[in-house]
Amino acid sequence: MKKKSKNKIIKVRNLTKSFDNNLILNNINLDLFEKESLAIIGKSGSGKSVLLKCIIGLLTPNKGSIKIDGREIVNSSSKDKEKILLDFGVTFQNGALFDSLSVWENIVFRTIKFKKLSKNDAKNLALSIILNLGLDKNILNLYPSELSGGMQKRVAIARAICDKPKILLFDEPTSGLDPITGSIIDDLIKNTVSRLGVTAITITHDMSSVFKFADRVILINNNQIEWVGEPKKMNNSKNQTIKNFLKNK
Amino acid sequence: MSIVVNIFSSIGKSTLFFFQSIGKIIYFFLLSVNWSFRRPFYFKQINKQILDIGFYSLPVVGLTTFFSGMVLALQTYSGFENFNNENTVAKIVLTSILRELGPVLAGLMVAGRVGAKMAAEIATMRVSNQIDALETLATRPIQYLIVPRFLASIMCVPILVLIGNIIGVFGGFVVASFKLDFSPTLYIVSTLNHINLMDIAQGLVKALIFGIIISIISCYFGYNANGGAEGVGRATTISVVTSSVLILTSTYFITAIFI
Ligand SMILES: Nc1ncnc2c1ncn2[C@@H]1O[C@H](COP(=O)(O)OP(=O)(O)OP(=O)(O)O)[C@@H](O)[C@H]1O
Ligand SMILES: [Mg+2]
């Protein structure tokens, strides 16, 4: 296993989030080390996506603190939030590609805000990324509505990693993909973390993915982090939910 | 007893909600104005909206104002015996169109056509996380999505109204000369004589305010949509209804100021 930094890049403290009277996350504490690959598992509706959205400040928790590289994101000014978000590459559960932009325009959307690139260079940059994701050259000029669900998902991943952010967040990157494409994505996450020294959080339902790329796993259940540990420790876990997850693998 | 309490509490709640919404919409408007003057300016988005709001609305606005001008001439002539001469018909057609019909018709058409589209587009982006994605990609949604629509609306609706005015007056002229057998020259001279800058100004002020109403209302309801496809539908309907009602009520108050 690669060397892990002792530097905590994300610190979540006493995070509580509810919608109206519906408690979703209760008193969550979580540390993420630099260059670590964390997997989040949990039943549908357990609040995994909500946790992710809290971390990047898209949802405001009712209580608690979230520090990114020492900077507080909860209730911070929108200017500070914008700055913190530059460290992140995010893939939403449904892809969330911009309908009105072509594939390559989607992928380089943030990159060209900070780097002057000719149209050709930008397209080539997008191309180099999608080839690694098992996508075809021909899709560059298509629009998201012309892609299959799995292709959209991979374009969204391309968009998240295009300008090499420090922290990657993937919300179910392999759901809806065939096993072969899924394993391409797993490898990509693994390699990005190990080669580029990126920190990654991946929400997934796929236990084989977890074993492949995660350094650590957390299970969210009953509004809390019910289990934390290295993937291989799951096999001996007495936690019933973990057992069920492994059984249905 | 409890029924009475319930009724009062629900009246109270909806009143509170109503005033809260007004406050939020005004805040949304101020936010849009504020961000209109700040970098970066998304010219490509603004151009796209101008094309959409201005250019593609021309056919409906032209058609409705044209027929309104025609029907106005016909009604004036047949409805009021003392008014069936070139001078009066021309004056009534011109004044009604400049002050009222031009801006209100254009406003309603744009609210139906463009407002619905704005609300649906932005609501779709909201419910499919595209607005969240914008934020993570170093782009302020207000600046990228709302400001271009807002600016394009306040530029285009007045221009649409000017063009609609001309077409409407022309509609009146067509009926006057071909159906009512008026003298075309006399009708044109009368029309020109009655052109009043204050009437044009009144129409343009209305157009400007309608432009603000349509874009802000539609963007507000789109931006705050939730709940999937149904939420998009809800946002669209409520935008069109609210903008139309506001157009028809605000025109009264603007008129009252001018008179
Ligand atoms: N914006 C919102 N408003 C109200 N409730 C919400 C909102 N977002 C999420 N929830 C609720 O929070 C709970 C957790 O949602 P979340 O999307 O985090 O689940 P998840 O763990 O990601 O599930 P899945 O695996 O199906 O994606 C759900 O019960 C959902 O109804
Ligand atoms: Mg989820």
Side-chain angles (χ1 to χ4, degrees), chain B residues 173-212:
Chain B
F173 167 78
V174 169
V175 167
S177 15
F178 294 103
K179 184 154 170 60
L180 307 180
D181 288 330
F182 283 176
S183 144
T185 341
L186 211 56
Y187 190 89
I188 292 175
V189 171
S190 305
T191 302
L192 292 178
N193 274 341
H194 289 297
I195 290 181
N196 177 345
L197 279 185
M198 276 318 274
D199 290 345
I200 299 177
Q202 185 180 146
L204 289 185
V205 168
K206 286 178 180 171
L208 181 73
I209 291 177
F210 297 165
I212 296 174

Side-chain angles (χ1 to χ4, degrees), chain A residues 13-234:
Chain A
R13 289 290 174 274
N14 308 317
L15 171 77
T16 298
K17 175 71 188 168
S18 52
F19 293 103
D20 298 326
N21 288 324
N22 185 12
L23 182 68
I24 309 293
L25 297 172
N26 187 14
N27 221 20
I28 300 274
N29 288 290
L30 175 67
D31 284 327
L32 194 68
F33 296 95
E34 220 170 1
K35 301 176 187 175
E36 185 181 27
S37 173
L38 179 82
I40 302 181
I41 59 174
K43 285 184 212 149
S44 184
S46 56
K48 305 180 295 293
S49 300
V50 168
L51 174 60
L52 216 63
K53 285 189 178 174
C54 286
I55 290 178
I56 47 179
L58 292 177
L59 289 174
T60 308
N62 304 68
K63 209 177 73 160
S65 138
I66 299 169
K67 287 211 164 98
I68 314 296
D69 234 354
R71 298 161 298 177
E72 179 65 54
I73 198 159
V74 178
N75 293 322
S76 64
S77 73
S78 48
K79 211 170 197 170
D80 291 339
K81 223 178 255 182
E82 282 164 18
K83 233 182 233 148
I84 297 174
L85 275 173
L86 290 180
D87 286 350
F88 284 94
V90 185
T91 308
F92 291 91
Q93 192 163 351
N94 61 343
L97 295 173
F98 304 127
D99 300 322
S100 57
L101 300 179
S102 66
V103 165
W104 74 269
E105 288 170 316
N106 261 286
I107 295 175
V108 300
F109 191 86
R110 184 165 74 180
T111 315
I112 57 172
K113 286 200 150 237
F114 300 100
K115 214 154 97 187
K116 274 251 166 298
L117 284 180
S118 70
K119 191 174 162 186
N120 243 335
D121 288 346
K123 267 191 174 180
N124 280 330
L125 175 65
L127 178 64
S128 67
I129 298 170
I130 63 166
L131 289 181
N132 275 331
L133 290 164
L135 288 167
D136 197 87
K137 182 174 189 268
N138 302 328
I139 68 159
L140 275 185
N141 290 315
L142 297 182
Y143 284 82
S145 60
E146 300 169 300
L147 303 179
S148 78
M151 287 155 112
Q152 289 182 16
K153 206 142 222 182
R154 283 178 282 165
V155 173
I157 294 173
R159 183 175 70 180
I161 63 177
C162 182
D163 60 353
K164 304 194 172 64
K166 282 206 304 210
I167 311 168
L168 290 172
L169 306 182
F170 300 112
D171 197 342
E172 304 193 16
T174 55
S175 69
L177 295 183
D178 64 273
I180 299 166
T181 317
S183 101
I184 293 180
I185 305 294
D186 291 341
D187 287 336
L188 176 105
I189 296 174
K190 188 181 158 144
N191 292 335
T192 322
V193 173
S194 62
R195 284 202 210 124
L196 297 177
V198 169
T199 312
I201 302 181
T202 311
I203 296 174
T204 183
H205 290 296
D206 185 346
M207 297 310 278
S208 63
S209 303
V210 173
F211 284 104
K212 211 156 164 188
F213 62 67
D215 299 322
R216 202 154 50 112
V217 189
I218 66 174
L219 165 74
I220 298 188
N221 202 20
N222 298 324
N223 317 321
Q224 289 183 320
I225 298 186
E226 209 174 75
W227 192 90
V228 193
E230 285 174 29
K232 57 177 189 260
K233 297 230 170 93
M234 283 193 292

Side-chain angles (χ1 to χ4, degrees), chain B residues 3 14 28-29 31 44 58 79 83 86 97 100 102 107 119 125 144 147 150 185 192 225-227 233 235 242 244:
Chain B
I3 292 179
S14 27
F28 193 77
F29 166 62
L31 213 60
K44 213 172 138 189
L58 271 177
F83 292 166
E86 281 87 348
I97 287 183
E100 202 58 54
M125 292 189 74
Y144 185 77
V147 167
F150 174 64
T185 341
L192 292 178
N226 55 47
T242 312
S244 306

